Amino acid sequence: MLIDKTDTSHSKDPAEVAIDHVANSYDHIILHLPSLGVFDFSITKHVFLLILVALITVSSMIFLVQNYISSKTKVPGKTMNFIEMIILYMRENVLKSFIGEKYYKDWDALVYTIFFFVLIGNFLGLIPIFDFLGLINYLAGGIPVVKDLIHGGNTVTANINLNFALATITFGAFTIAGIKRYGFFHHWKNLAPPGLAWPLYFIVVPIEVMAMLIRPISLTLRLAGNMMGGHLALIIFTQLFIIEVAKNYGIFAALGGSIFSVSLSIGVIFLEIIVAFIQAYVFALLTAVYIGMAVNVDH
């Protein structure tokens, strides 16, 4: 990312510069809104990205479906074929396998939505749109709104708060699924298998409760860690490495090091594309697995 004329991040420690490029920036709020207690509704870059990803997810699906319905040939295009392939695969190999033929239709829309939302959020973070905005801001001498947009990370799914919100939805989904299937009290009784000696319940029940509460935390950290790690590597290889080499060894050494840096960065980008798919799939898969565990206790 280009350094803004008014930015002082070039004087910071390299680790701080790297973190500033992936974290949510509360020092550069795009739109200030009133707070409600501890909740601040102001629009930061990650909130802006959250809204953008939601709009892209909803509008693209509506557009593709409406375009398919209104077409005379009823032949899906390449994009629609790709989406149908993903949905069919997930229906047959994830939803039916883990939730079951009888109950998967109650939760398929949620699993599909989580998958595509996380996937689009992951891929949006790989597109350097804010770097181009940084170039515009640099050449124009500082545009207020653009200046605020270039600060902070591009990948909203690297934000632990968003990921925890998604994981909380998953937590609520498998809790509701269990209650809907067995009733409120019977669902919580299913935390421990019947027939154990009563002293063992003092051990088994706390372990099961802890395991249930850890699920959303593990979902949160897995997605945030994977998406943030790749972008930190890109920042280090493409910016900090070249800058530090130039400062310590001169411009010619930096030019030579840039060949190594760019080659390695291209490899990281291809790896990030694969990771973007895998992490979206894993989040949706685990959501289906947890729901299946709640509704199929006997199995």
Side-chain angles (χ1 to χ4, degrees):
M1 183 182 293
L2 293 174
I3 298 175
D4 191 86
K5 291 181 178 179
T6 59
D7 193 9
T8 59
S9 62
H10 58 280
S11 62
K12 295 180 181 179
D13 182 83
E16 293 182 13
V17 177
I19 293 298
D20 285 344
H21 280 76
V22 295
N24 195 18
S25 177
Y26 292 97
D27 296 326
H28 299 85
I29 295 177
I30 300 169
L31 178 63
H32 290 271
L33 295 175
S35 300
L36 181 61
V38 296
F39 298 101
D40 187 356
F41 294 96
S42 297
I43 307 297
T44 62
K45 184 177 179 180
H46 281 194
V47 174
F48 170 79
L49 285 169
L50 169 62
I51 297 171
L52 181 62
V53 171
L55 287 174
I56 293 173
T57 304
V58 174
S59 61
S60 60
M61 295 302 165
I62 292 175
F63 172 78
L64 289 170
V65 172
Q66 289 295 328
N67 189 49
Y68 172 72
I69 292 174
S70 61
S71 65
K72 296 180 180 180
T73 59
K74 298 298 181 183
V75 177
K78 293 181 179 180
T79 306
M80 192 65 181
N81 271 324
F82 176 71
I83 292 175
E84 284 185 354
M85 179 183 69
I86 292 175
I87 290 176
L88 286 173
Y89 175 83
M90 294 188 68
R91 185 182 69 188
E92 298 299 323
N93 297 281
V94 175
L95 292 165
K96 289 185 179 180
S97 296
F98 294 102
I99 300 179
E101 188 84 32
K102 187 176 180 180
Y103 304 106
Y104 84 91
K105 289 184 179 180
D106 294 334
W107 304 101
D108 57 350
L110 174 65
V111 175
Y112 298 148
T113 302
I114 288 176
F115 173 81
F116 286 110
F117 180 87
V118 174
L119 182 66
I120 291 173
N122 291 346
F123 269 101
L124 189 65
L126 295 174
I127 302 173
I129 53 177
F130 295 101
D131 295 288
F132 290 113
L133 289 177
L135 175 62
I136 295 171
N137 180 64
Y138 183 82
L139 296 175
I143 304 172
V145 175
V146 175
K147 177 183 174 183
D148 293 330
L149 278 172
I150 65 176
H151 291 274
N154 292 4
T155 310
V156 69
T157 47
N159 190 312
I160 197 169
N161 298 298
L162 170 66
N163 296 342
F164 187 72
L166 291 174
T168 302
I169 293 173
T170 296
F171 179 86
F174 68 72
T175 302
I176 292 171
I179 293 174
K180 183 178 179 181
R181 171 75 171 84
Y182 295 102
F184 183 82
F185 293 104
H186 195 181
H187 166 69
W188 296 112
K189 286 175 63 178
N190 288 334
L191 286 175
L196 293 177
W198 70 265
L200 291 178
Y201 285 104
F202 291 101
I203 301 174
V204 173
V205 171
I207 291 175
E208 291 296 328
V209 171
M210 187 178 299
M212 182 183 64
L213 295 176
I214 287 175
R215 289 174 188 172
I217 298 175
S218 65
L219 284 172
T220 300
L221 298 180
R222 180 185 294 106
L223 180 57
N226 279 279
M227 300 315 301
M228 184 176 289
H231 287 73
L232 280 173
L234 284 174
I235 292 298
I236 292 170
F237 294 147
T238 58
Q239 178 177 340
L240 296 181
F241 176 79
I242 298 175
I243 291 174
E244 290 301 311
V245 169
K247 286 197 303 184
N248 294 312
Y249 302 103
I251 187 65
F252 292 106
L255 289 174
S258 64
I259 299 175
F260 166 78
S261 175
V262 171
S263 301
L264 195 57
S265 298
I266 292 173
V268 173
I269 289 172
F270 280 111
L271 181 61
E272 281 289 282
I273 292 173
I274 298 172
V275 170
F277 269 104
I278 292 174
Q279 290 306 313
Y281 175 71
V282 168
F283 206 109
L285 172 67
L286 290 178
T287 298
V289 168
Y290 295 152
I291 293 173
M293 292 170 63
V295 299
N296 299 303
V297 175
D298 296 337
H299 301 287

